[in-house]
Amino acid sequence: MKLETLKQVEKLAKFHSPKFLVTSFYLDRDKSRLTKKEIGLALKNILHQGRQRIQEAGLNKALQESLAGDLDKINVFCTQHILGSILPGLAVFSCHGEKYWQDFDLGSAPRSRLVFDLNAFVKPLSAILDESHRMCALLVDRREANWFSVHLGEAKLLDRLKSDVPGKVREGGFEGTEAKRIERHGEARLMEHFKKVAALTFDLFKAHNFDFLLLGCTEEHRPDLESHFHPYLKNKIRGGLKLKPGASADQVLLESNELDKILKKSEEDSLVSRFVSELEKGGLAVSGLRDTLRRLNSGEALVLLVSRDYSAPGRLCPRCRLLYIEDKTCPACQKPTEAVVDILDEAVELALDKKSGVKHISPSSRLDHYGKVGALLRYKA
Ligand SMILES: [Zn+2]
């Protein structure tokens, strides 16, 4: 199954077995960077290390058997699916003891890893979704227009239009009235073409809920085309593609992804700037693990910011799902808390539960100076 929505992640995050652990497995199989052999070797190494960890963990026999069953199934599945999809990432969640299995094809490559825990390790999934923009690429010339949707590592042709616009009148030719008349006629047809393109683009935006519009057209036509766009669409333009309507889906994907990387970096930078300026004026932000967890627990976090390379152990109250760094007893309900391998993973889940935003920030950034984690707040305490 392809990972497409946050609902899939939320459903996965809810799975919990009273008896067994969940195996979460991520594989980077980005064939633009790695050979088939390298991917196969990485798979073999991760599973080998996983088997060693199971043996060394001192678990009871039933738990051990369930985890070993997970690894066997993952091995068989991956061997069959490494090259099966063009998407650069694969994630598998398995709990053999409960006969639970869920796999996802991922639109961007995760860090390869294997995690055994009480719940599915979903942080990388929410990071991929959070990063992925739903883009519309529009390629236009004087006669044609093609629309592509670009999302999660895939470009698909959505629609195409051909208009009957006469060719350009030769420049520098004679200046007779007939030539002027033909030119005016041609101009009017061209404007009609752009008007149709603008209307169809608006309809597609409404139907597909795109985040951005990427525009492939010549500089000459751009002002005329944009003059027909609804203000809503003008606001959605995020850049230009150097492609013509005949371009393939692969070319569209490649150029759109390049542009998207630049856009993401600048989005992250501006969010971190806002965060730092709130912190510096003592406004609506907190930094560091302790304060961030406290504000997440109380539901005050508007957006959780977490550096991609940051993980830390912590503790979770199984009853109220509140998060702590070292409290052995939950201060809210006095029940004993449980150790978790990565409290940031839990923090991401809690943030999703409480309808807070989550932003994964690529290192290095100014967030590093503030403990690699922080939150913008809904209101001041
Ligand atoms: Zn509690």
Side-chain angles (χ1 to χ4, degrees):
M1 186 195 288
K2 190 178 164 194
L3 178 74
E4 286 175 302
T5 67
L6 208 52
K7 277 209 174 69
Q8 293 172 304
V9 181
E10 285 168 356
K11 198 173 157 202
L12 178 66
K14 284 201 177 83
F15 175 79
H16 179 76
S17 162
K19 280 191 278 181
F20 301 103
L21 294 174
V22 182
T23 298
S24 304
F25 171 73
Y26 288 86
L27 185 67
D28 177 353
R29 56 161 182 201
D30 188 345
K31 285 176 278 278
S32 69
R33 285 186 291 108
L34 302 166
T35 64
K36 184 186 168 189
K37 202 175 162 191
E38 285 170 327
I39 302 169
L41 198 62
L43 170 68
K44 208 174 139 194
N45 285 338
I46 296 169
L47 294 180
H48 176 70
Q49 286 164 11
R51 290 197 180 94
Q52 281 183 327
R53 269 158 57 200
I54 295 171
Q55 281 179 356
E56 290 160 5
L59 304 165
N60 70 41
K61 195 154 175 278
L63 277 175
Q64 274 196 36
E65 277 176 5
S66 176
L67 291 179
D70 292 338
L71 298 194
D72 289 343
K73 275 167 86 179
I74 288 170
N75 188 27
V76 172
F77 180 83
C78 289
T79 313
Q80 289 166 350
H81 287 80
I82 278 180
L83 296 169
S85 166
I86 53 152
L87 295 180
L90 177 70
V92 175
F93 305 89
S94 175
C95 180
H96 186 63
E98 300 281 355
K99 301 207 175 347
Y100 180 84
W101 175 271
Q102 180 67 62
D103 58 80
F104 289 112
D105 288 317
L106 310 176
S108 54
R111 197 150 63 88
S112 292
R113 63 194 298 183
L114 185 68
V115 175
F116 305 122
D117 203 357
L118 295 167
N119 296 89
F121 177 67
V122 301
K123 190 165 77 172
L125 296 186
S126 61
I128 284 169
L129 284 176
D130 163 48
E131 275 169 20
S132 117
H133 293 129
R134 205 174 273 276
M135 298 177 285
C136 176
L138 165 60
L139 311 179
V140 200
D141 65 14
R142 351 186 352 113
R143 287 197 178 96
E144 272 185 69
N146 287 359
W147 288 264
F148 290 84
S149 78
V150 185
H151 187 223
L152 291 167
E154 212 176 7
K156 273 191 249 171
L157 182 66
L158 276 184
D159 212 337
R160 58 207 316 177
L161 175 81
K162 270 192 182 169
S163 303
D164 182 22
V165 181
K168 267 174 98 171
V169 177
R170 270 179 295 126
E171 275 175 50
F174 65 96
E175 300 202 350
T177 46
E178 180 60 9
K180 286 226 167 89
R181 193 190 65 77
I182 294 171
E183 192 176 302
R184 274 200 305 277
H185 175 68
E187 277 303 296
R189 297 284 277 274
L190 183 60
M191 290 309 125
E192 247 171 66
H193 172 59
F194 286 158
K195 199 173 165 184
K196 274 192 233 163
V197 170
L200 192 47
T201 308
F202 193 49
D203 288 347
L204 287 170
F205 260 73
K206 281 189 281 188
H208 294 267
N209 207 9
F210 290 117
D211 297 313
F212 299 152
L213 177 61
L214 306 177
L215 206 53
C217 75
T218 61
E219 283 308 313
E220 178 200 354
H221 289 145
R222 205 183 158 108
D224 285 335
L225 177 63
E226 284 188 27
S227 71
H228 289 90
F229 280 165
H230 188 281
Y232 171 83
L233 275 185
K234 280 189 198 166
N235 276 328
K236 294 284 181 181
I237 299 174
R238 285 296 182 284
L241 300 171
K242 291 184 192 72
L243 295 172
K244 292 183 175 142
S248 69
D250 283 348
Q251 288 173 302
V252 170
L253 182 64
L254 201 71
E255 270 208 27
S256 305
N257 280 349
E258 283 305 309
L259 207 55
D260 194 35
K261 269 184 204 158
I262 300 166
L263 292 172
K264 273 171 192 159
K265 179 80 183 108
S266 87
E267 255 180 30
E268 284 183 13
D269 288 349
S270 73
L271 185 70
V272 171
S273 293
R274 183 177 146 204
F275 165 75
V276 170
S277 93
E278 286 293 333
L279 275 180
E280 282 173 352
K281 68 180 187 204
L284 293 169
V286 287
S287 67
L289 191 52
R290 190 172 304 275
D291 284 346
T292 305
L293 292 182
R294 197 160 57 83
R295 300 306 184 108
L296 265 181
N297 283 343
S298 62
E300 289 166 279
L302 178 68
V303 183
L304 170 69
L305 290 84
V306 50
S307 178
R308 275 173 220 285
D309 63 348
Y310 183 43
S311 72
R315 303 195 70 88
L316 162 79
C317 171
R319 190 159 178 257
C320 19
R321 314 299 298 174
L322 297 180
L323 308 177
Y324 307 102
I325 297 180
E326 69 269 291
D327 295 69
K328 296 260 162 53
T329 308
C330 173
C333 71
Q334 309 307 318
K335 294 270 174 204
T337 58
E338 290 169 357
V340 291
V341 260
D342 186 0
I343 195 74
L344 280 311
D345 182 35
E346 304 296 333
V348 167
E349 278 176 40
L350 184 63
L352 294 175
D353 270 357
K354 297 205 180 258
K355 309 285 173 220
S356 311
V358 176
K359 278 284 168 195
H360 301 270
I361 307 294
S362 303
S364 58
S365 77
R366 288 165 81 198
L367 183 61
D368 295 352
H369 305 295
Y370 296 91
K372 289 178 179 278
V373 65
L376 287 167
L377 302 175
R378 294 182 207 273
Y379 33 75
K380 211 171 149 113

